[in-house]
Amino acid sequence: MSQGGARGAAKPQDRGWAWMVLLAAVLLQGLTLGFPSCIGVFFTDLQHEFQASNSETSWFPSIMVAVLHGGGPLCSILVKRFGYRFAVMLGGLLSSVGMVSSSFCKSLGQLYLTAGLITGLGSCFSFQAGLTALGHYFVRWQTLANAMASTGVSLGFTLWPLLSQYMLDEMGWRNTFLIFGGILLNCCVCGAIMRPVQLASGSLVQLPRPGEDSGRGAEEAQLSNGASSPHLKYQQQNRKTACFQVLQKYLAFDIFCQNKGYQIYTIGVTWMMMGFVLPHVYLVPYAIQNGVEERKAALLISIIGFINIFIRPLTGLLSGHRIFTGRRIYLFSLAVLLCGLSNFICIISAEFSVLIVYCVILSIAMSGIGALTFQVLMDVVEMDRFSSALGLFTILESITLLIGPPLTGLLVDITNDFHYVFYTSSFLLISAALFMGLSFCALEKKRNLKEASKVPLDNPSRYQYNDTTEPQPESQSTPAVVYVTSV
């Protein structure tokens, strides 16, 4: 399939079929990253159907979002072994199977497995492998292509809640989930569009080299045949070393221990994510409980997505200005702080007009977070280790995305007061913003003191946040897979 599909795709970068791939990437982001935004619409119905508490019901969207964000390293391995086209189409199939199966669930536990784990994993494969394909098709216009593709997330945030509420009113949640399974199959169509790129030499950039497979097979055969040889201990040691190298490749623990900037940023964002996701899960049920009509409550999430369509690109352009070079972390911390402070609007009043104001301010803050999250990470680590650093980054943030909503739901069950959702979110976001802002300020002062007593670096902005034992050499290599979250 890969060889035949690549014949007509020689040197397609930045022109021709690349724009069809970009269109497919926009659709993929809307179908995958945008999809969890509609789960809040079904929250109350699922609660009544399974007679479940807020904490038990919130595990469903938590598992989906956590797997969607945390499956990046697994997707990277899949892409390297089988190619991005296969990964996108497999993800679409898994997403569809998960949603169709969920329509027949008899318990929340079954829903966790089907719509949570299977659909979340499928969405992860489709989304992140689609970004990999985009990186192969665009070189000169890669920044523009990524910015345009990210509008799919905002479109998904806008359209999924409205569609969900309409279908829920017309046919119930089970039939809606069944139809969603059919809609998510369009990820397979997007994958079919993403033909493997063929270089001038005729080799496919996404396929592993034949020598790698044969070498791996020979090594495995040697290990199996040598089980009774005197070199067994040595071979086992080599196997452990290989496992360690794989972990270091996809999960950069060495960078986490040595690079103070990466350490601070990873801890701060991991803590932030526990509170960031809460309004997305509980805003609709909070509005419904306070007398807002269900259709209007679903509209609140759509307002957030609609504003994101326009504000996120503007935020990205603003942060790219040279005046903010080396200072993006402070913009990011300011956006997180604004996101935390905006939650107090919901605490003051639950009137629909007040909630609209809240959604506008929250969307502006979200746009800043979404535009800067990975830009700041690129400032913190060198590009030759970006992929592995991002693997650990997404794994850690997926843990807090998983436990945040259920723990807050337990608090709501105990107090029977939804205000604690926004109290908790505000505390987590504000504390994370202050931690990152003040820590990087202290780190910058420490770096300036070191530079005052040494010869200045040729390019100090390159090492703005990289407080390691030695400056790492700059590399022109790019990450194999770019992991992007729905923030």
Side-chain angles (χ1 to χ4, degrees):
M1 176 183 67
S2 299
Q3 297 285 357
R7 298 288 181 191
K11 303 175 67 174
Q13 284 87 354
D14 301 301
R15 61 187 177 85
W17 193 254
W19 299 106
M20 288 298 297
V21 173
L22 175 59
L23 181 61
V26 172
L27 183 58
L28 272 178
Q29 293 204 21
L31 290 172
T32 55
L33 278 188
F35 181 68
S37 65
C38 71
I39 301 302
V41 174
F42 302 98
F43 195 93
T44 304
D45 288 80
L46 293 174
Q47 239 183 331
H48 294 158
E49 175 76 18
F50 298 111
Q51 297 298 305
S53 63
N54 288 292
S55 179
E56 292 170 338
T57 308
S58 63
W59 276 107
F60 160 45
S62 296
I63 293 172
M64 178 185 289
V65 174
V67 174
L68 173 58
H69 288 76
L74 182 59
C75 177
S76 180
I77 296 171
L78 192 66
V79 169
K80 285 180 180 294
R81 181 65 182 86
F82 299 103
Y84 51 76
R85 183 190 233 180
F86 175 86
V88 172
M89 297 180 75
L90 176 63
L93 183 61
L94 287 176
S95 299
S96 177
V97 169
M99 291 309 299
V100 170
S101 301
S102 68
S103 65
F104 300 99
C105 288
K106 301 297 182 182
S107 67
L108 269 179
Q110 295 174 357
L111 199 64
Y112 299 159
L113 176 63
T114 55
L117 180 61
I118 298 177
T119 298
L121 192 62
S123 297
C124 175
F125 289 167
S126 293
F127 163 63
Q128 298 195 9
L131 282 181
T132 306
L134 201 63
H136 286 309
Y137 271 89
F138 286 92
V139 178
R140 181 183 177 187
W141 302 109
Q142 190 174 70
T143 302
L144 175 63
N146 286 327
M148 293 177 65
S150 68
T151 60
V153 183
S154 302
L155 289 172
F157 263 78
T158 304
L159 299 176
W160 274 116
L162 298 178
L163 177 64
S164 299
Q165 188 61 58
Y166 172 78
M167 296 182 68
L168 180 64
D169 293 340
E170 294 294 325
M171 58 190 68
W173 71 268
R174 291 187 184 274
N175 291 328
T176 301
F177 280 14
L178 185 64
I179 294 175
F180 281 176
I183 294 175
L184 292 176
L185 272 178
N186 285 288
C187 292
C188 297
V189 179
C190 296
I193 291 174
M194 295 175 174
R195 302 181 297 200
V197 177
Q198 186 179 11
L199 300 176
S201 61
S203 61
L204 300 178
V205 299
Q206 73 168 79
L207 297 178
R209 287 172 290 186
E212 293 178 354
D213 286 341
S214 59
R216 190 182 298 113
E219 182 181 349
E220 292 173 355
Q222 188 178 20
L223 288 173
S224 61
N225 293 333
S228 59
S229 70
H231 301 291
L232 177 61
K233 186 176 181 180
Y234 175 74
Q235 292 169 346
Q236 289 175 340
Q237 184 65 32
N238 283 346
R239 187 179 296 177
K240 291 179 181 178
T241 304
C243 291
F244 176 77
Q245 290 174 346
V246 170
L247 285 176
Q248 184 170 320
K249 181 178 181 180
Y250 294 105
L251 301 174
F253 291 108
D254 57 329
I255 301 178
F256 185 80
C257 295
Q258 296 173 7
N259 188 330
K260 294 296 182 183
Y262 176 67
Q263 189 179 98
I264 292 169
Y265 187 60
T266 301
I267 293 173
V269 173
T270 300
W271 180 255
M272 177 204 78
M273 281 296 176
M274 191 181 297
F276 180 80
V277 72
L278 297 180
H280 302 282
V281 176
Y282 290 105
L283 178 60
V284 173
Y286 169 72
I288 293 174
Q289 189 192 56
N290 285 275
V292 177
E293 189 180 330
E294 290 185 359
R295 288 183 179 272
K296 288 184 176 180
L299 184 63
L300 294 173
I301 302 295
S302 297
I303 291 173
I304 295 175
F306 182 75
I307 295 175
N308 254 270
I309 296 175
F310 306 99
I311 300 297
R312 181 179 289 209
L314 292 176
T315 306
L317 290 174
L318 177 66
S319 65
H321 195 277
R322 65 170 179 258
I323 195 175
F324 294 111
T325 301
R327 299 183 179 87
R328 294 187 186 94
I329 180 61
Y330 302 113
L331 280 178
F332 180 80
S333 299
L334 185 63
V336 176
L337 182 64
L338 178 61
C339 193
L341 293 174
S342 67
N343 287 317
F344 289 109
I345 298 175
C346 285
I347 298 171
I348 295 173
S349 174
E351 294 290 332
F352 181 68
S353 57
V354 176
L355 292 179
I356 289 179
V357 175
Y358 164 70
C359 288
V360 171
I361 298 176
L362 179 66
S363 181
I364 294 172
M366 279 179 57
S367 299
I369 295 173
L372 291 170
T373 299
F374 297 102
Q375 190 62 50
V376 173
L377 189 61
M378 290 178 186
D379 293 339
V380 172
V381 298
E382 298 294 323
M383 283 304 297
D384 61 340
R385 298 299 308 279
F386 180 78
S387 183
S388 55
L390 194 49
L392 178 62
F393 184 83
T394 55
I395 286 289
L396 291 178
E397 74 172 7
S398 68
I399 295 174
T400 50
L401 284 169
L402 176 65
I403 65 176
L407 289 178
T408 307
L410 182 62
L411 183 62
V412 173
D413 291 332
I414 294 172
T415 61
N416 199 28
D417 187 356
F418 268 99
H419 286 112
Y420 283 98
V421 171
F422 302 98
Y423 281 128
T424 304
S425 180
S426 292
F427 167 74
L428 293 170
L429 290 167
I430 293 173
S431 59
L434 294 176
F435 168 74
M436 288 186 288
L438 294 176
S439 296
F440 273 100
C441 184
L443 192 63
E444 187 174 357
K445 287 183 178 180
K446 181 181 177 182
R447 181 187 62 82
N448 290 336
L449 288 175
K450 284 185 177 180
E451 288 184 353
S453 60
K454 296 180 181 179
V455 178
L457 295 172
D458 293 335
N459 187 6
S461 64
R462 180 63 178 165
Y463 306 102
Q464 182 74 26
Y465 309 124
N466 193 355
D467 188 19
T468 54
T469 54
E470 296 180 1
Q472 301 173 10
E474 187 172 348
S475 173
Q476 298 298 327
S477 60
T478 56
V481 177
V482 179
Y483 308 94
V484 179
T485 66
S486 58
V487 296

